[in-house]
Amino acid sequence: MNAEKSTGSALAWFKSSYSTGSGGECIEVAVGPRVVRVRDSKDVARRGLAVDAEAWTAFVGFAAQ
């Protein structure tokens, strides 16, 4: 996945470079040592998800297949 860093937050959020400004569906991800946070890139004020880092690694591995 290619990523672009998003600013304006204490966390370092990354959004897929495949996301366009034309309203496509995309998520942003902020990786921490124990928790990965996931949010809607179109509604960053809305509360996102917090996922255990091991579970996120398993999900990404599954999605990459």
Side-chain angles (χ1 to χ4, degrees), residues 3-61:
E4 299 171 353
K5 189 173 180 181
S6 176
T7 58
S9 173
L11 295 171
W13 292 94
F14 293 88
K15 178 171 56 170
S16 171
S17 61
Y18 295 106
S19 177
T20 65
S22 61
E25 294 80 19
C26 194
I27 62 168
E28 290 182 320
V29 177
V31 179
R34 295 177 299 189
V35 175
V36 176
R37 300 194 182 275
V38 182
R39 69 182 180 186
D40 183 342
S41 65
K42 298 176 306 305
D43 190 3
V44 297
R46 188 177 191 177
R47 188 176 182 142
L49 302 172
V51 181
D52 178 86
E54 290 182 28
W56 181 256
T57 300
F59 169 75
V60 170

